[in-house]
Amino acid sequence: MKLISLYVQDMRGYITKKINFRDSVTFLIGINGSGKTTALKLLNGLLANNNLYK
């Protein structure tokens, strides 16, 4: 699987963002509170191997 982008709408009731990923490496940079960790947690939730559908 190749992840091309992440689009989030109305996260926490007001945040809408789109992150485009490069072919090699993508760095998430920003000031404190800008959503870097939240973006990683969302990706983890999407890509984690869980047993929700068994």
Side-chain angles (χ1 to χ4, degrees):
M1 174 191 324
K2 183 176 182 178
L3 192 62
I4 298 171
S5 66
L6 173 68
Y7 178 75
V8 179
Q9 184 175 352
D10 296 331
M11 182 179 61
R12 297 186 179 158
Y14 62 93
I15 298 172
T16 300
K17 294 285 182 184
K18 182 174 182 183
I19 301 171
N20 294 312
F21 298 101
R22 296 180 179 236
D23 287 336
S24 56
V25 176
T26 299
F27 291 94
L28 297 178
I29 57 172
I31 61 172
N32 290 346
S34 63
K36 302 177 298 287
T37 301
T38 301
L40 292 176
K41 287 181 179 181
L42 287 169
L43 287 171
N44 184 50
L46 290 172
L47 300 175
N49 185 13
N50 57 40
N51 296 320
L52 291 176
Y53 300 107
K54 285 189 175 180

